[in-house]
Amino acid sequence: MSAPKIQHFILVFDRHAGHLLDQLDFGTNAKKALGKYEELEREHRENAFMDIVLVGSDSIDTVKITHANYFDGSAKDMYAEVLRISAG
């Protein structure tokens, strides 16, 4: 039995708004995923509140577990606490 092929996903998360703006699926095309990742990083480089995350996994369901904070709203709370502590 062969191992599942790695799927590539990009998550675009706005920490200020506290929600996922986009979830892109590139299947097994790592080159296309990396190109889009670089494009999005350039596009948002001036916005410190944007997370552009390129993830390799067996499925989006696994990504929703391993990167749950981007899907369940907990990232907003985490970043608010970091800002509160750093301002203090």
Side-chain angles (χ1 to χ4, degrees):
M1 177 150 69
S2 64
K5 293 189 181 221
I6 297 295
Q7 306 292 309
H8 304 282
F9 306 94
I10 293 178
L11 308 176
V12 180
F13 188 85
D14 183 335
R15 288 182 285 160
H16 184 70
H19 64 85
L20 193 64
L21 297 178
D22 209 352
Q23 170 188 313
L24 307 169
D25 183 343
F26 295 90
T28 59
N29 192 334
K31 186 174 181 176
K32 188 173 180 182
L34 185 56
K36 184 64 174 180
Y37 172 78
E38 290 171 344
E39 175 188 323
L40 289 167
E41 280 288 337
R42 281 190 303 274
E43 181 181 328
H44 297 289
R45 85 176 80 185
E46 301 299 321
N47 187 343
F49 290 101
M50 293 298 287
D51 283 351
I52 312 299
V53 183
L54 174 58
V55 182
S57 183
D58 65 330
S59 70
I60 192 62
D61 292 331
T62 299
V63 173
K64 287 179 178 180
I65 294 169
T66 60
H67 293 72
N69 58 311
Y70 291 114
F71 296 92
D72 67 7
S74 64
K76 183 177 184 178
D77 297 334
M78 178 181 67
Y79 290 120
E81 183 65 11
V82 168
L83 290 173
R84 186 191 68 74
I85 291 169
S86 64

